Amino acid sequence: MDWMLKDLAEGVPQTRYVVLLSADGLRMAQHGADVDAADRLAASCAGLQSLASAVGREFPDKQGKMRMVVIELDVGFFYLMAAGSGAHLAVLADEGVDAGLIGQRMRDLVIRIGEHLSSPPRQDRRAG
């Protein structure tokens, strides 16, 4: 998976990190970040995804599912996008990034290979 993330990162100038993670915050693949940084980002994303899901439940007519979270910082942007069943795609980018382009490229990647970006639920091997 790393090469697909590399393609995304190199296709959008100012992109720092691209991380694929499971819904429970475990890093599945990364580009641009060392393993420790990718693990920290993945763990943080699990909390953000949970918060976004809680906000989605505030729509009384429908169960809103998180599609994308965008955080603008004074030094750049952070994007978190749902990417298949139980998986998410996260991008950290510098301030000068083309915000529309990174969102579009993330969506394109998820559409193109979304079925390969799934993370099945973990099984408790101690049970049974």
Side-chain angles (χ1 to χ4, degrees), residues 10 49 56 67 78 82:
E10 291 181 352
Q49 184 275 331
R67 291 185 191 169
F78 168 76

Side-chain angles (χ1 to χ4, degrees), residues 25-99:
L26 295 177
R27 173 188 46 83
M28 296 164 55
Q30 90 266 357
H31 176 76
D34 63 43
V35 172
D36 289 339
D39 284 343
R40 285 190 307 273
L41 189 60
S44 298
C45 290
L48 286 172
Q49 184 275 331
S50 179
L51 289 170
S53 294
V55 170
R57 287 190 291 274
E58 294 303 315
F59 289 87
D61 302 357
K62 301 174 183 166
Q63 178 69 9
K65 290 185 179 180
M66 189 277 294
R67 291 185 191 169
M68 179 179 265
V69 173
V70 179
I71 299 174
E72 183 177 1
L73 305 161
D74 61 353
V75 293
F77 293 89
F78 168 76
Y79 302 86
L80 177 64
M81 179 179 281
S85 177
H88 295 84
L89 186 61
V91 172
L92 196 64
D94 290 327
E95 184 177 16
V97 74
D98 183 332

Side-chain angles (χ1 to χ4, degrees), residues 8-26:
L8 171 64
E10 291 181 352
V12 182
Q14 307 285 327
T15 300
R16 283 182 176 249
Y17 306 158
V18 181
V19 178
L20 177 65
L21 60 131
S22 64
D24 57 356
L26 295 177

